[in-house]
Amino acid sequence: AKGDGRNSYRYFSANMNSNMLERVQLEQRLRRAVLQEEFCLFYQPIVNMDDRTVIGVEALIRWRDPKYGLISPDKFIPVAEETGLIEPIGEWVIQQALTDLSQMHANGFMINMAINVSGRQLINSNQAPFSSLLDNMLQKHKIAPKYLHIEITESMLMDDTEQCQQKLEAIRDLGIDIYIDDFGTGYSSLSYLKRFPISVIKIDKSFIDNMLARQSDANLIKAIVMMGQSLELKLVAEGIETEEQWEFLQNLGCNFGQGYLISRPRPINELTELLVDNLKP
Ligand code: C2E
Ligand code: CA
Ligand code: CA
Ligand code: CA
C-alpha cells in the first residue's frame, strides 16, 4: 500500500539518477573522443540497380572507444546533436571522407561520396555557413563538387523549412547534390518536396524490410517511386538484404541500391578490394 508506493518511487528516482549519470559520463567520454579523434569511417557502396557497378559510397561513422570498442552512431549521434559536439564531429567526418575520396580518385576509382549531415550542422553553425565549410574542404582536397553528396533526413526539412531551404540552396549552388534520407517516414507531400533543391530520394529501409510481406508497404514504395519519377528525382533503395527485394525494387524502377546484399559498410582498405573486383574492366 502506502509503503510500497514510497519504495517504488525511490526505486524510480534511483533509476533516473543512474540514467542521468550514464548520460553525463557518455557526454564526457564523447568530449574526450573529439579531442583524441577516436572516430573512424566505414563505407557502404551504392550501386546501379541494373549492372550493380559502384557509383559511390556512403560514409558511416563509428566511435572506437578504447574501453568499449566500436560504438555505433545510433548510440552517440543523438547525444552529439544535443550537446553541439556534432559540429566538430561533423567537420571531422567531412575532412576524413574527402581525404579517403581523394585517395580513391588517385587510385582511379572516380566514385561519389555521400555524407550524412544533421540539422544542427546545417543550421546552428555559429561560425561560417555550412556551405562555405564544404566549399573550403573541397578546394583543400582538390575534389570537384559533383563527387560530393550530402544526405539529410526528411524530418529535418520539416523542422525549420525556411532556413533549410536557404542553406540547401547555397549548397546546391556549389554543385553538391542533396539526398533526402529515410524518405517515407516523415509524411511530406509532393508540393512540399518541390520547395527544396533535392536530386535524390532514399527510400527508408523500414519499408523495404516489410514490402514483400505487407501490401501497404509495397504500395507506399510504389507511390514514392512514382512521385520521385514525376519530379525527375533519382531513387535509392537502402537496406536491401535479399535477391527478391532487389528484383522487386528494380522492376519498380529504382535507380540505385544499397544494402547487405551488395556489401556491409567496411573500412577503407576493404573497400578498395571490392572496388577492384567491381570496377575492373
Ligand atoms: P542511415 O543514414 O539511414 O544509414 C543507414 C544505416 O543502415 C547504417 O547504419 C547502415 O549500416 C545500415 N544498413 C545499410 N544496409 C543495411 C542492410 O542491408 N541491413 C541492415 N540491417 N542495415 C543496413 P549505421 O552505420 O549504424 O548508421 C546509423 C545512422 O547513424 C545512420 O542512418 C545515420 O542517420 C547516422 N549516421 C551515421 N554516420 C553519420 C555521420 O557521419 N553524421 C551524422 N550526422 N549521422 C550519421
Ligand atoms: Ca544516410
Ligand atoms: Ca537512411
Ligand atoms: Ca536511418
Side-chain angles (χ1 to χ4, degrees):
K2 221 176 185 179
D4 286 354
R6 188 164 264 171
N7 276 340
S8 68
Y9 170 76
R10 272 216 192 120
Y11 175 74
F12 179 66
S13 95
N15 228 3
M16 266 193 28
N17 284 337
S18 92
N19 282 342
M20 277 165 61
L21 191 66
E22 256 176 46
R23 169 70 174 62
V24 169
Q25 282 171 343
L26 179 63
E27 186 181 331
Q28 280 172 351
R29 279 171 41 226
L30 196 54
R31 276 185 202 286
R32 195 204 54 209
V34 170
L35 293 175
Q36 310 198 336
E37 301 195 355
E38 290 170 0
F39 303 103
C40 61
L41 293 180
F42 276 34
Y43 296 102
Q44 188 178 35
I46 302 175
V47 307
N48 262 319
M49 281 238 76
D50 292 329
D51 60 8
R52 304 196 184 189
T53 52
V54 177
I55 58 138
V57 293
E58 177 178 2
L60 294 157
I61 195 172
R62 273 95 185 90
W63 173 8
R64 227 185 260 287
D65 186 281
K67 199 157 125 205
Y68 301 97
L70 272 196
I71 302 176
S72 93
D74 289 330
K75 297 251 164 60
F76 66 91
I77 291 289
V79 178
E81 281 170 353
E82 277 170 45
T83 52
L85 287 169
I86 192 66
E87 291 200 35
I89 294 173
E91 259 189 69
W92 179 87
V93 169
I94 300 165
Q95 163 73 32
Q96 188 60 48
L98 292 182
T99 302
D100 290 341
L101 183 64
S102 63
Q103 188 60 55
M104 290 181 236
H105 284 184
N107 291 337
F109 304 117
M110 299 310 286
I111 59 172
N112 304 317
M113 175 66 69
I115 291 175
N116 292 286
V117 171
S118 75
R120 184 139 180 194
Q121 274 176 281
L122 188 68
I123 285 174
N124 283 2
S125 207
N126 34 28
Q127 305 114 26
F130 190 64
S131 56
S132 324
L133 177 73
L134 293 175
D135 194 20
N136 292 339
M137 294 266 205
L138 283 169
Q139 291 193 28
K140 182 177 151 196
H141 293 276
K142 302 187 172 62
I143 293 172
K146 67 170 180 182
Y147 292 109
L148 180 63
H149 304 157
I150 64 161
E151 296 192 2
I152 58 169
T153 60
E154 184 190 13
S155 55
M156 220 182 94
L157 293 183
M158 308 185 75
D159 280 351
D160 197 338
T161 308
E162 288 286 301
Q163 275 232 63
C164 261
Q165 206 174 330
Q166 282 177 14
K167 300 277 183 183
L168 292 177
E169 265 154 23
I171 293 169
R172 183 60 271 227
D173 287 346
L174 292 172
I176 298 171
D177 277 343
I178 296 159
Y179 286 37
I180 297 299
D181 207 348
D182 299 349
F183 193 81
T185 57
Y187 311 100
S188 45
S189 66
L190 192 86
S191 62
Y192 188 84
L193 210 57
K194 266 178 67 181
R195 299 170 58 168
F196 300 98
I198 298 161
S199 319
V200 179
I201 290 177
K202 293 188 84 167
I203 306 170
D204 194 60
K205 176 181 180 302
S206 60
F207 302 114
I208 289 161
D209 285 342
N210 297 317
M211 76 187 169
L212 296 178
R214 260 219 299 268
Q215 188 61 41
S216 59
D217 281 3
N219 290 343
L220 198 123
I221 292 179
K222 284 180 197 166
I224 293 173
V225 172
M226 276 167 57
M227 184 181 87
Q229 287 172 342
S230 69
L231 291 172
E232 296 180 326
L233 304 175
K234 299 274 187 229
L235 291 135
V236 182
E238 66 174 13
I240 307 175
E241 294 181 346
T242 68
E243 290 291 347
E244 291 73 24
Q245 291 172 335
W246 189 276
E247 203 175 311
F248 186 87
L249 292 158
Q250 187 182 21
N251 288 336
L252 281 185
C254 277
N255 308 90
F256 308 112
Q258 193 180 354
Y260 292 177
L261 178 66
I262 300 295
S263 167
R264 287 178 179 258
R266 36 172 104 193
I268 179 81
N269 56 319
E270 291 170 34
L271 178 71
T272 310
E273 284 165 31
L274 179 137
L275 291 176
V276 169
D277 284 349
N278 183 279
L279 295 175
K280 72 184 164 201

